Amino acid sequence: METHTHADALPGDHTSEENRIERVIQAHIKELLSKRKDVLSKVQSELDDIDRALRHLGHEPTGTPTGASGKQKRRAKVTDSEIKSMILGFLTHGEFVSGAEILKRTGIKASRFANFKVANKGFLASKGAKRAMKYSLA
């Protein structure tokens, strides 16, 4: 505990008092931020439980996730046959399209597309290298 004497401060010098007030304010801010974090955590946990129960009952919760959890919404699994039918909907034999365009039109991630190509060799023809690669129906 600090002890202050009147001899420490010059008359009219309020810096030590201002410093003490600033420390008190910072301590309150830190305490309030900690409480806020705890409340958000509890609320998010309850919301997650409710959403899980809704999904279990067959209802997909609407709205965006709130809170600091930062969880991303999972995409539904897309089968290879679904990817094939999507690609057949916009790609023709001899017409080459970039991988980025295929990802955009099908809504799948690059890793899923890579797995699709490995599992379905012969479905797509490719030309070019790496990121510049273009694809057509084989």
Side-chain angles (χ1 to χ4, degrees), residues 98-100 127-135:
S98 70
K127 70 175 183 180
K130 306 243 181 196
R131 293 177 67 105
M133 190 171 293
K134 302 234 181 219
Y135 299 92

Side-chain angles (χ1 to χ4, degrees), residues 78-92:
V78 180
T79 65
D80 284 358
S81 60
E82 290 172 325
I83 295 173
K84 277 184 180 180
S85 65
M86 285 188 278
I87 291 174
L88 288 170
F90 65 86
L91 198 59
T92 60

Side-chain angles (χ1 to χ4, degrees), residues 111-129:
S111 59
R112 178 64 182 102
F113 183 55
N115 291 339
F116 169 79
K117 290 187 299 185
V118 169
N120 296 279
K121 290 186 189 294
F123 178 70
L124 294 174
S126 61
K127 70 175 183 180

Side-chain angles (χ1 to χ4, degrees), residues 40-53:
L40 273 176
S41 176
K42 289 176 187 174
V43 169
Q44 189 60 49
S45 175
E46 289 184 38
L47 286 173
D48 290 344
D49 290 344
I50 292 168
D51 288 347
R52 196 174 305 112

Side-chain angles (χ1 to χ4, degrees), residues 32-44:
L32 289 171
L33 287 174
S34 176
K35 283 183 182 179
R36 184 180 192 281
K37 184 178 176 184
D38 291 344
V39 169
L40 273 176
S41 176
K42 289 176 187 174
V43 169
Q44 189 60 49

